[in-house]
Amino acid sequence: MFVALERLINLQDGYRGVFQFQGRHLLLIVVDQQPILMENRCPHQGAPLHAGTLEGGVLRCSRHGIAFDLASGRPVSAPCPPLRRLPLAYDGDRIGLDL
């Protein structure tokens, strides 16, 4: 089952969209024309990531400053679990989840 999150036409570099689905808080972000879907919480202490700063392909948590490489989801220089990323699916002009 496909669950649409956003229209493809809206996905430009710098896009951030926050969604809730089945009790999960999700963040859809576009970096270098690549959409990335992840849980909208820092794995360190659960702070929302949508308020973090984005520099290139690195997202920095606004609460504790832990930086994550978005290509891999791994923290850059801190002992912390990686980001929880989710696979994206496409249906026509929409992007979302395929359950």
Side-chain angles (χ1 to χ4, degrees), residues 21-89:
F21 181 72
Q22 293 183 341
R24 294 173 83 176
H25 298 271
L26 305 175
L27 173 62
L28 177 61
I29 191 166
V30 178
V31 177
D32 294 330
Q33 300 178 359
Q34 295 297 315
I36 300 167
L37 182 63
M38 67 190 87
E39 286 192 3
N40 188 24
R41 60 182 295 279
C42 178
H44 177 237
Q45 288 189 352
L49 290 172
H50 69 269
T53 58
L54 182 62
E55 296 176 23
V58 176
L59 180 64
R60 186 174 302 277
C61 175
S62 63
R63 183 176 293 167
H64 293 102
I66 295 175
F68 296 92
D69 174 51
L70 290 176
S72 68
R74 293 191 172 106
V76 174
S77 61
C80 178
L83 296 173
R84 290 187 149 190
R85 294 181 48 173
L86 293 97
L88 285 165

